[in-house]
C-alpha cells in the first residue's frame, strides 16, 4: 500500500470513529487535551496539510472526483476532504492554529490549481445540486479567518483567498454554498477591507495562469460585485464598508478596458491602452465575464452604494458658512472616484437614469460643491481625495460625475419643472453652477490645459499599481462641463434667467482673440470646444475675419470670374434658381453681379458694384422663404421652418431646399443681413443638433401642453385610449404614422408614457422635416463650414443671419458717417437730415437703409463695420428751385446718399420718404 492509500485509509478510519463516538477531541487527544495540546496540534497541522498536498499532487488523476460530495464513500478525494472538514471545524480548540499553519503554507494556491483542474468537470456525476467536500473545506477556512477568537497571523496577500480563489472566473457558479457563506455581512466587510488595504500595492502579483480574456483583476471584480449587494442592503451596513467597497471596485474597474454597449457594434481600445513592459497588447474580456460585471453594477447596486455613502449627509444644510466635514469629503471622494471610472468603463445608458432619479447624488454633490465654492474650500480637498494626485484641483473629481448626471436630468425635465418649479436645482443655484463651471472650464482649457486636450481616456490597463493622471480627468471634465454649460445656455435662451455675460470667461482679451483665429492655438481649441466662454461680439469678429481670409485666398488664387445674372423682378425666384443652381462651389465663393429687368422687359439702370447684388439677395430671400410659396411654414410666433408637406406642392422641393441653403450661406458669406426669422428648432439643424421635448413649444405649444399633461397625469393613462401612432394633417390629407413598429397596437400606459412623449416630440421636431433639413444643410455647407457655425448658438445664429430686431441706431450711424460735396457734420442740412431720420418709424428707417446700402439691416456689430462707411454727399447742382425739386438718390455699391440742400425739414422729410418708398428699383440710383 503506497503513502496516498495509507493517508486515505487513515482519514476513512477517522471519519468512521467520529461517526461512532461523535467526539473528535477525544480521538486525537484522549481525555486530557490540555496536557497534550502541543503534540496534538502539531500532528493535526501535518495531517491537514498532507491531505491537501495529496489531493493537489494527484489532481489530474482524480479530476473526476474533485467536486464530489462527502457522501461518496468510495471516492478517495471526498474522504480526504471530509476529514479536513472535521479537523477544521471552528468549534474545535485547534482550529485557529491549524488554519494559520495552512495559510502560512499558501494552501489557497494549491486549492486554486485543484479547482482549475476540476473546471471542466463541474457537472460530474454526484456533484450537481449538492455541496462538494472541497466547498465545505473552503467555507471552513474562509469563515474562520478574521473571526473572533482568531489569532492567525496575516498572510501575504499574494497567497490569500482573495488573490488566489476570488480570481477564479465565475467562482460562485462552481461553489454556490461558498457564495452564501462569503456574502454574510461580517465576512464581506472583512475581505473588502483587506482588499482595500492591499489590492493597489499588490495587484502586480495577481495570478496569470488564465487566458488573456480572464485577467485576474476582472475575475475578482466580477466575484466581489456579485456578493456585495446583499451586504449593502443590510440596514446595519457600515459606512466604512461602503468606502472600502468603492475603493476596491474603483481600482479594479479602472483596470478594465471599456466594456462595449449593447447598442454599439464594438468598442475599440487605443493602441497604448495596455502596456506590459515595452509591448502594447489589446485586452478583450470574455463576453460572459463582461456580462457578470455589467449585470452586477445594476440599478439596485448603484442605489444601495450611494445610499450607504450618503446616508448621513444632509442635502439641505441650514447654514452654508462652513465647508464639508471629513466624513462628507470621504463619501463624496469615494462615490465620485467609483462613478468616474464607471462612466469610462460601462455603457452610460444603463446607469444615468438610475443615478439621476433614484439616488440623492445630484443634491448631495451640488450641496457639497456649492459650500466648497462659497467658503473657498476647493484648495483643501486634493490631499483628502486619495484617488487623485495632490496637485489636482479640488473641483475636478466632483464635476466629472455631477456634470453628466445633471445634464441627463435636463434632457428629461420639462420647461415648467425647470423654470416654475425650479427642479432639479433652483434658478439661483443654477446661476451659481454656471459660475463654477465657467471658472473650472477656463482653468482647464486656458490657464492649465492638459497636454492632450482631446485624448479622452488614456489610462494604462496593467496589472501593476498605476497613478491616476490628472490630464485624463481634466479632459473628461473639459468635455462634460462644456456640454452642460452649452445646455444651460440653451435653457437661458429659451427664457432668460441670468445675463448672457455670465457664460463669458473673465480672461478673454485682445491677445486671446488674435490667437483664436489661428488653428492649433489654445485659444482656437477653446473657440471650438467652449465658444460660449468668448463674448458674442468677439466671436463675430473672428467669424468675419475668417470669411475675409477665405475671400482673400480666393482672389489670391486668381479667381476673378464674375458670374452675371440677368434677373426678372417678377420672376426672381425661378431666374435665380435656374442660374445659381448651375454654379459650382468655387463659383459660389466668387463675385456674382446682377442686372435686374423690370416688368416691361427693360434692364434697370445702374452698374452692380455690390449694391445691386445686396438688393437681389434681400429680395430673393424674401420671395423664396415666403410661406405663400409653400417651401416653408411659420409657427404661431411667425418663425419659419420647412414645410413637412412641401413635396405635395413642388415636385423638385428637395432641390429647392438645397438651393435655399446655398442662398442663405451666400448671404452670410458676403456679410449681407436678410430678414428671415427662423424657428429655433430649425436653426438647430444647421448646427446638426437633435431637438428634444423642450424645443416643441416653438413649433406647437398646444401639442407641448398636451404632452406635459400626459407626463404629469396621475390616473390610469391607458384609459385615455392612446396608441403609439401620430396623425399627420397636410393640406387636408390625414395620414397615420406609427411611432414604433406595431405602434397602432401598443397602448400608452403610465409605464411607457415618457417614451411616447419623446417619440412624438422627435417625430414633429426631427423626423417630419428630416429630408428638407438635410438638403438645406447640404446647400448651406457649400459655403458655411461647420466649425464656423458651431461657434454660435441658435439665438446668435439668428443674429448672424438677420441682425438685431431693435430699432436702427441713428446715433451710431451718425458717428460713423463721412461727408462730401461741401457737407460737414455741423451743416444745417445735415442737422435736419438726422432729425428727420430719427423721427422715422422702424419700417421707414429700414427702407432708408435699404435705399442707401441695398440692405435693410445694418452691420451686426455697428456701423463702424459698414464697408465703405456711409457717406452723405451734396447733390450736384445749385440750390435753385429746380434742384430742390429733385429727389435724393443713392449709390448702394458705395453706401452713398446724394442729398439736395433742401430749405426746410418738412421738404427734406417729404422728398426722402417719397424716394425710399418709390420702389423704383435702381432708377433712383
Amino acid at each position: 500500500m503506497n503513502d496516498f492509500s495509507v493517508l486515505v485509509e487513515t482519514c476513512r478510519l477517522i471519519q468512521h470513529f467520529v461517526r461512532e463516538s461523535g467526539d473528535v477531541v477525544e480521538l486525537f487527544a484522549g481525555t486530557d487535551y490540555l496536557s497534550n495540546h502541543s503534540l496534538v496540534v502539531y500532528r493535526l497541522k501535518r495531517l491537514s496539510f498532507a491531505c491537501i498536498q495529496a489531493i493537489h499532487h494527484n489532481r489530474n488523476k482524480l479530476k473526476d472526483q474533485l467536486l464530489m460530495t462527502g457522501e461518496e464513500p468510495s471516492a478517495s478525494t471526498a474522504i480526504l476532504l471530509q476529514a479536513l472538514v472535521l479537523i477544521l471545524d471552528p468549534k474545535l480548540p485547534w482550529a485557529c492554529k491549524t488554519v494559520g499553519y495552512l495559510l502560512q503554507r499558501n494552501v489557497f494556491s494549491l486549492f486554486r490549481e485543484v479547482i482549475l483542474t476540476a473546471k471542466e468537470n463541474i457537472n460530474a456525476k454526484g456533484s450537481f445540486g449538492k455541496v462538494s467536500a472541497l466547498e465545505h473545506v473552503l467555507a471552513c477556512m474562509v469563515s474562520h479567518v478574521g473571526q473572533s477568537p482568531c489569532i492567525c497571523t496575516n498572510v501575504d496577500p499574494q497567497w490569500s483567498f482573495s488573490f488566489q480563489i476570488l480570481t477564479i472566473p465565475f467562482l460562485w457558479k462552481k461553489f454556490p454554498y461558498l457564495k452564501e457563506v462569503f456574502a454574510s455581512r461580517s465576512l464581506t466587510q472583512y475581505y473588502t477591507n483587506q482588499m482595500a488595504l492591499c489590492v493597489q500595492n499588490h495587484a502586480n502579483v495577481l495570478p496569470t495562469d488564465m487566458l488573456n480574456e480572464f485577467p485576474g483583476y476582472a475575475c475578482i471584480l466580477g466575484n466581489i460585485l456579485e456578493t456585495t449587494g446583499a451586504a449593502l442592503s443590510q440596514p446595519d451596513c457600515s459606512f466604512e464598508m461602503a468606502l472600502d467597497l468603492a475603493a476596491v471596485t474603483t481600482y479594479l474597474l479602472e483596470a478594465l478596458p471599456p466594456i462595449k454597449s449593447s447598442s454599439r457594434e464594438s468598442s475599440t481600445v487605443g493602441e497604448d491602452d495596455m502596456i506590459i513592459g515595452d509591448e502594447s497588447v489589446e485586452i478583450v474580456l470574455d463576453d460572459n465575464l463582461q456580462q457578470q460585471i455589467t449585470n452586477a453594477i445594476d440599478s439596485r447596486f448603484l442605489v444601495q452604494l450611494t445610499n450607504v455613502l450618503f446616508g448621513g449627509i444632509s442635502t439641505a444644510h441650514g447654514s452654508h458658512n462652513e465647508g464639508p466635514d471629513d466624513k462628507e469629503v470621504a463619501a463624496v471622494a469615494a462615490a465620485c472616484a467609483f462613478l468616474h471610472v464607471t462612466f469610462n468603463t460601462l455603457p452610460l445608458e444603463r446607469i444615468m437614469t438610475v443615478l439621476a432619479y433614484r439616488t440623492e447624488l445630484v443634491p448631495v454633490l451640488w450641496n457639497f460643491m456649492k459650500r466648497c465654492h462659497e467658503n473657498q474650500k476647493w484648495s483643501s480637498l486634493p490631499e483628502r481625495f486619495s484617488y487623485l494626485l495632490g496637485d489636482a484641483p479640488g473641483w475636478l473629481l466632483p464635476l466629472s460625475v455631477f456634470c453628466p448626471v445633471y445634464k441627463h436630468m435636463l434632457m428629461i425635465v420639462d420647461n415648467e419643472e425647470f423654470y416654475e418649479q425650479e427642479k432639479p436645482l433652483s434658478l439661483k443655484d443654477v446661476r451659481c453652477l454656471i459660475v463654477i463651471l465657467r471658472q473650472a472650464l477656463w482653468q482647464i482649457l486656458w490657464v492649465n490645459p492638459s497636454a492632450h486636450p482631446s485624448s479622452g481616456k488614456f489610462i494604462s490597463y496593467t496589472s501593476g499599481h498605476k497613478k491616476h493622471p490628472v490630464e485624463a480627468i481634466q479632459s473628461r471634465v473639459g468635455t462634460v462641463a462644456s456640454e452642460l454649460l452649452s445646455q444651460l445656455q440653451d435653457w437661458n435662451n429659451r427664457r432668460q434667467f441670468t445675463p448672457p455675460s455670465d457664460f463669458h470667461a473673465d480672461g478673454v482679451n485682445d491677445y486671446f482673440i488674435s490667437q483664436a483665429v489661428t488653428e492649433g492655438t489654445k485659444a482656437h481649441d477653446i473657440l471650438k470646444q467652449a465658444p460660449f466662454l468668448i463674448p458674442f461680439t468677439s466671436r463675430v469678429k473672428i467669424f468675419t475675419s475668417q470669411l475675409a481670409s477665405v475671400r482673400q485666398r480666393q482672389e489670391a488664387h486668381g479667381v476673378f470670374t464674375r458670374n452675371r445674372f440677368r434677373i426678372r423682378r417678377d420672376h426672381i425666384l425661378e431666374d435665380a434658381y435656374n442660374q445659381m443652381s448651375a454654379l459650382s462651389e468655387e463659383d459660389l465663393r466668387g463675385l456674382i453681379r446682377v442686372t435686374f429687368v423690370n416688368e416691361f422687359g427693360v434692364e434697370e439702370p445702374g452698374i452692380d458694384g455690390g449694391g445691386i447684388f445686396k438688393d437681389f439677395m434681400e429680395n430673393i430671400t424674401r420671395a423664396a422663404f415666403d410661406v405663400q410659396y409653400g417651401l416653408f411654414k411659420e409657427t404661431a410666433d411667425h418663425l419659419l421652418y420647412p414645410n413637412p408637406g412641401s413635396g405635395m406642392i413642388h415636385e423638385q422641393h428637395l432641390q429647392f431646399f438645397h438651393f435655399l441653403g446655398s442662398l442663405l450661406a451666400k448671404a452670410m458669406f458676403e456679410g449681407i443681413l436678410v430678414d428671415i426669422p427662423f424657428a429655433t428648432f430649425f436653426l438647430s439643424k444647421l448646427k446638426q443638433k437633435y431637438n428634444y421635448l423642450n424645443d416643441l413649444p416653438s413649433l406647437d405649444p398646444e401639442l407641448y401642453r398636451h404632452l406635459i399633461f400626459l407626463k404629469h397625469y396621475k390616473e390610469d393613462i391607458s384609459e385615455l385610449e392612446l396608441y403609439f401612432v401620430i396623425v399627420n394633417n397636410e393640406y387636408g390629407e390625414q395620414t397615420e404614422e406609427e411611432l414604433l413598429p406595431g405602434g397602432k397596437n401598443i397602448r400608452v400606459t403610465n409605464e411607457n408614457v415618457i417614451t411616447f412623449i419623446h417619440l412624438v416630440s422627435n417625430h414633429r421636431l426631427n423626423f417630419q422635416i428630416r429630408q428638407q433639413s438635410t438638403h438645406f444643410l447640404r446647400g448651406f455647407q457649400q459655403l458655411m463650414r461647420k466649425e464656423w457655425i458651431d461657434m454660435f448658438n441658435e439665438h446668435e445664429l439668428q443674429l448672424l443671419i438677420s441682425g438685431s430686431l431693435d430699432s436702427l441706431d441713428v446715433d451710431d450711424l451718425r458717428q460713423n458717417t463721412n461727408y462730401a460735396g461741401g457737407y460737414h457734420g455741423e451743416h444745417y442740412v445735415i442737422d435736419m437730415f438726422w432729425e428727420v431720420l430719427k423721427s422715422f418709424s422702424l419700417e421707414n428707417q429700414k427702407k432708408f437703409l435699404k435705399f442707401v446700402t441695398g440692405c435693410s439691416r445694418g452691420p451686426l456689430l455697428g456701423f463702424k463695420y459698414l464697408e465703405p462707411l456711409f457717406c452723405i454727399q451734396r447733390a450736384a447742382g445749385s440750390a435753385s428751385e429746380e434742384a430742390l425739386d429733385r429727389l435724393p438718390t443713392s449709390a448702394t455699391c458705395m453706401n452713398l446718399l446724394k442729398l439736395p440742400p433742401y430749405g426746410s425739414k418738412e421738404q427734406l422729410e417729404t422728398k426722402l420718404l417719397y424716394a425710399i418708398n418709390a420702389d423704383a428699383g435702381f432708377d433712383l440710383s
Side-chain angles (χ1 to χ4, degrees):
M1 183 177 291
N2 58 29
D3 291 346
F4 181 77
S5 300
V6 171
L7 183 59
V8 170
E9 181 61 21
T10 301
C11 290
R12 187 186 65 78
L13 291 172
I14 290 173
Q15 292 174 60
H16 176 74
F17 179 84
V18 171
R19 280 196 300 270
E20 292 295 323
S21 68
D23 191 341
V24 181
V25 175
E26 183 181 348
L27 171 64
F28 291 106
T31 57
D32 188 8
Y33 170 72
L34 292 178
S35 61
N36 298 319
H37 74 275
S38 297
L39 179 62
V40 172
V41 171
Y42 172 77
R43 289 173 175 171
L44 288 173
K45 288 178 182 178
R46 299 295 300 273
L47 175 61
S48 301
F49 187 57
C51 290
I52 296 171
Q53 275 188 314
I55 295 170
H56 175 261
H57 183 73
N58 295 281
R59 64 189 181 280
N60 290 315
K61 297 178 185 177
L62 303 172
K63 61 183 179 181
D64 291 335
Q65 302 180 19
L66 294 176
L67 294 178
M68 284 186 175
T69 68
E71 299 172 4
E72 300 293 327
S74 60
S76 54
T77 304
I79 294 172
L80 295 174
L81 290 170
Q82 198 60 31
L84 280 170
V85 171
L86 291 173
I87 295 171
L88 300 179
D89 186 338
K91 294 189 286 291
L92 296 175
W94 53 72
C96 182
K97 292 182 178 179
T98 306
V99 170
Y101 175 85
L102 295 178
L103 293 179
Q104 292 299 317
R105 275 146 187 78
N106 306 329
V107 293
F108 282 128
S109 64
L110 304 183
F111 280 132
R112 175 184 178 84
E113 294 183 5
V114 170
I115 294 168
L116 293 178
T117 301
K119 178 181 177 182
E120 298 177 359
N121 301 279
I122 190 167
N123 289 323
K125 182 179 179 182
S127 66
F128 183 76
K130 297 181 179 180
V131 179
S132 69
L134 176 57
E135 192 171 5
H136 270 300
V137 173
L138 291 172
C140 285
M141 296 191 67
V142 168
S143 59
H144 170 83
V145 175
Q147 303 304 299
S148 179
C150 174
I151 56 172
C152 296
T153 56
N154 290 329
V155 66
D156 185 334
Q158 179 177 357
W159 311 112
S160 67
F161 174 80
S162 299
F163 278 40
Q164 292 294 325
I165 305 302
L166 287 180
T167 51
I168 295 174
F170 317 116
L171 179 69
W172 312 128
K173 287 186 177 179
K174 301 175 179 63
F175 302 131
Y177 171 69
L178 182 62
K179 177 183 178 180
E180 291 179 20
V181 173
F182 185 82
S184 70
R185 189 186 69 82
S186 55
L187 278 184
T188 302
Q189 183 164 338
Y190 171 79
Y191 280 101
T192 303
N193 177 254
Q194 291 301 304
M195 284 184 278
L197 294 174
C198 69
V199 69
Q200 293 193 31
N201 297 323
H202 296 84
N204 60 320
V205 296
L206 286 171
T208 57
D209 51 1
M210 300 294 297
L211 297 174
N212 284 340
E213 59 191 24
F214 294 102
Y217 55 81
C219 295
I220 196 173
L221 176 63
N223 289 328
I224 290 172
L225 288 173
E226 204 174 318
T227 56
T228 50
L232 286 174
S233 64
Q234 298 298 318
D236 58 344
C237 180
S238 70
F239 174 75
E240 289 70 23
M241 183 204 157
L243 287 180
D244 288 338
L245 178 61
V248 172
T249 53
T250 296
Y251 181 82
L252 296 175
L253 268 173
E254 194 173 38
L256 298 180
I259 293 179
K260 60 179 179 288
S261 166
S262 57
S263 61
R264 289 179 288 184
E265 292 183 8
S266 64
S267 178
T268 56
V269 180
E271 59 183 17
D272 296 327
D273 281 349
M274 169 80 180
I275 303 171
I276 300 178
D278 296 326
E279 297 183 1
S280 177
V281 180
E282 180 178 315
I283 290 180
V284 178
L285 293 186
D286 171 77
D287 287 344
N288 291 326
L289 183 54
Q290 280 194 19
Q291 200 67 41
Q292 182 190 27
I293 294 169
T294 55
N295 286 349
I297 305 180
D298 57 7
S299 58
R300 182 181 177 189
F301 177 84
L302 292 170
V303 171
Q304 290 171 343
L305 180 61
T306 52
N307 282 349
V308 176
L309 286 174
F310 295 153
I313 300 175
S314 171
T315 59
H317 285 261
S319 171
H320 290 276
N321 296 328
E322 297 182 1
D325 58 26
D326 288 342
K327 181 177 180 180
E328 185 175 358
V329 171
V332 168
C336 289
F338 168 73
L339 291 172
H340 167 74
V341 175
T342 301
F343 292 165
N344 283 345
T345 308
L346 299 184
L348 292 183
E349 67 269 16
R350 298 183 63 253
I351 56 182
M352 279 299 174
T353 301
V354 174
L355 292 172
Y357 289 100
R358 294 183 57 191
T359 73
E360 291 293 304
L361 182 71
V362 165
V364 167
L365 282 187
W366 170 244
N367 188 276
F368 175 84
M369 293 191 302
K370 183 180 179 182
R371 283 181 291 126
C372 287
H373 174 73
E374 292 175 344
N375 296 285
Q376 300 181 343
K377 295 292 184 180
W378 290 125
S379 60
S380 68
L381 294 183
E383 60 190 29
R384 300 155 79 184
F385 281 2
S386 59
Y387 178 78
L388 291 178
L389 299 174
D391 58 350
W395 40 259
L396 195 60
L397 196 56
L399 283 181
S400 74
V401 172
F402 177 86
C403 288
V405 180
Y406 183 63
K407 176 175 174 283
H408 182 79
M409 296 181 85
L410 292 184
M411 293 172 63
I412 299 175
V413 73
D414 58 61
N415 291 334
E416 182 182 351
E417 290 169 326
F418 185 86
Y419 297 112
E420 309 299 337
Q421 300 174 17
E422 300 194 13
K423 295 178 179 178
L425 297 181
S426 72
L427 294 181
K428 180 182 178 181
D429 281 349
V430 174
R431 288 191 285 270
C432 179
L433 172 62
I434 290 170
V435 173
I436 294 173
L437 292 173
R438 183 193 72 211
Q439 293 175 347
L441 200 53
W442 185 250
Q443 187 76 17
I444 290 172
L445 299 179
W446 181 252
V447 178
N448 187 29
S450 60
H452 307 285
S454 60
S455 60
K457 184 184 179 187
F458 52 91
I459 296 168
S460 299
Y461 301 133
T462 67
S463 57
H465 172 63
K466 59 181 176 298
K467 295 181 180 179
H468 312 285
V470 173
E471 290 82 2
I473 307 180
Q474 276 192 342
S475 176
R476 169 77 177 168
V477 173
T479 299
V480 295
S482 294
E483 292 172 349
L484 179 54
L485 264 177
S486 178
Q487 198 170 10
L488 289 172
Q489 191 182 47
D490 288 343
W491 283 96
N492 198 47
N493 288 335
R494 291 191 194 104
R495 189 189 304 179
Q496 186 170 313
F497 57 84
T498 194
S501 58
D502 278 1
F503 292 89
H504 302 159
D506 298 329
V508 176
N509 50 28
D510 291 340
Y511 170 74
F512 180 94
I513 300 302
S514 67
Q515 291 288 299
V517 182
T518 307
E519 289 191 22
T521 62
K522 284 195 300 183
H524 185 75
D525 290 339
I526 292 172
L527 183 65
K528 290 195 297 184
Q529 181 172 342
F532 42 77
L533 292 176
I534 306 165
F536 174 62
T537 53
S538 299
R539 280 178 280 132
V540 174
K541 292 176 184 176
I542 294 169
F543 175 65
T544 52
S545 70
Q546 289 171 325
L547 293 179
S549 177
V550 172
R551 289 195 293 266
Q552 289 170 3
R553 285 198 299 269
Q554 191 88 352
E555 294 173 3
H557 287 116
V559 182
F560 294 107
T561 305
R562 293 187 178 183
N563 297 282
R564 300 191 178 276
F565 291 176
R566 193 172 185 270
I567 303 293
R568 295 170 295 171
R569 281 195 180 270
D570 52 355
H571 292 81
I572 187 170
L573 184 55
E574 291 82 356
D575 288 355
Y577 172 74
N578 291 330
Q579 295 174 69
M580 199 168 178
S581 295
L583 299 183
S584 66
E585 189 172 312
E586 190 170 294
D587 288 335
L588 278 172
R589 290 197 196 95
L591 294 174
I592 296 175
R593 293 298 174 246
V594 173
T595 299
F596 276 118
V597 178
N598 64 22
E599 64 268 29
F600 304 109
V602 179
E603 290 189 357
E604 296 178 1
I607 298 173
D608 189 1
I612 299 179
F613 176 70
K614 286 192 286 184
D615 181 67
F616 159 74
M617 290 298 292
E618 188 157 297
N619 286 313
I620 179 64
T621 51
R622 184 185 301 120
F625 290 95
D626 192 322
V627 295
Q628 298 300 318
Y629 195 70
L631 291 175
F632 276 77
K633 296 180 76 171
E634 64 179 11
T635 68
D637 296 326
H638 306 292
L639 302 176
L640 297 172
Y641 68 97
N643 179 5
S646 57
M648 301 172 68
I649 301 175
H650 299 281
E651 185 177 347
Q652 292 184 306
H653 69 124
L654 296 181
Q655 290 89 329
F656 266 100
F657 276 107
H658 186 281
F659 161 67
L660 293 183
S662 60
L663 189 69
L664 178 63
K666 180 63 175 174
M668 295 178 67
F669 188 78
E670 300 294 344
I672 300 172
L673 299 176
V674 290
D675 191 5
I676 312 174
F678 287 114
T680 304
F681 69 88
F682 175 62
L683 289 171
S684 296
K685 298 305 178 185
L686 299 186
K687 293 175 59 63
Q688 297 178 253
K689 282 172 60 177
Y690 187 86
N691 291 305
Y692 293 93
L693 170 66
N694 295 307
D695 300 299
L696 189 58
S698 65
L699 170 62
D700 192 335
E702 184 178 1
L703 176 61
Y704 176 79
R705 286 194 296 271
H706 290 160
L707 293 178
I708 295 303
F709 169 79
L710 288 178
K711 179 180 179 181
H712 299 289
Y713 192 69
K714 301 299 183 185
E715 305 300 324
D716 186 357
I717 291 180
S718 63
E719 294 180 355
L720 301 179
E721 290 288 335
L722 296 173
Y723 293 86
F724 276 76
V725 295
I726 192 168
V727 176
N728 301 316
N729 191 350
E730 298 295 339
Y731 301 103
E733 183 177 319
Q734 286 195 347
T735 57
E736 190 176 79
E737 211 165 338
E738 292 185 330
L739 297 171
L740 287 173
K744 63 183 179 182
N745 297 316
I746 303 175
R747 182 177 290 194
V748 179
T749 66
N750 295 73
E751 288 71 35
N752 63 23
V753 67
I754 297 298
T755 301
F756 173 78
I757 288 170
H758 286 281
L759 286 175
V760 170
S761 302
N762 173 62
H763 182 85
R764 293 299 309 277
L765 293 166
N766 301 300
F767 185 78
Q768 271 193 319
I769 59 172
R770 69 194 185 286
Q771 288 185 311
Q772 294 90 333
S773 299
T774 298
H775 282 78
F776 190 97
L777 181 63
R778 287 174 185 167
F780 185 75
Q781 289 183 334
Q782 285 186 292
L783 291 180
M784 286 290 109
R785 298 177 186 170
K786 184 179 186 299
E787 63 189 75
W788 296 343
I789 299 305
D790 284 346
M791 289 194 293
F792 306 98
N793 62 42
E794 290 83 348
H795 174 72
E796 295 165 341
L797 197 51
Q798 183 65 61
L799 289 176
L800 280 184
I801 294 168
S802 301
S804 174
L805 296 177
D806 298 333
S807 61
L808 183 86
D809 190 342
V810 177
D811 292 333
D812 180 45
L813 179 59
R814 184 171 189 173
Q815 290 172 6
N816 293 283
T817 296
N818 293 327
Y819 301 96
Y823 282 153
H824 55 79
E826 306 301 323
H827 196 284
Y828 77 96
V829 174
I830 296 302
D831 282 337
M832 288 193 301
F833 166 77
W834 290 117
E835 288 179 22
V836 167
L837 184 59
K838 215 166 194 179
S839 69
F840 278 0
S841 66
L842 175 59
E843 188 63 28
N844 281 331
Q845 287 178 344
K846 291 169 65 176
K847 287 180 179 179
F848 165 78
L849 203 56
K850 180 174 174 60
F851 178 72
V852 294
T853 68
C855 180
S856 62
R857 300 296 181 103
L860 191 57
L861 299 181
F863 284 100
K864 70 178 180 179
Y865 293 96
L866 186 67
E867 295 182 359
L869 283 179
F870 176 50
C871 181
I872 304 176
Q873 176 182 317
R874 181 168 177 160
S878 66
S880 65
E881 186 176 332
E882 180 183 351
L884 295 179
D885 258 351
R886 292 170 55 192
L887 293 172
T889 59
S890 65
T892 55
C893 57
M894 296 183 290
N895 299 325
L896 175 66
L897 173 66
K898 299 175 183 179
L899 183 67
Y902 297 113
S904 69
K905 189 166 70 172
E906 291 74 18
Q907 186 183 26
L908 190 153
E909 181 177 2
T910 301
K911 296 294 184 182
L912 189 56
L913 281 173
Y914 185 88
I916 66 176
N917 285 286
D919 198 22
F922 281 82
D923 291 338
L924 287 177
S925 297

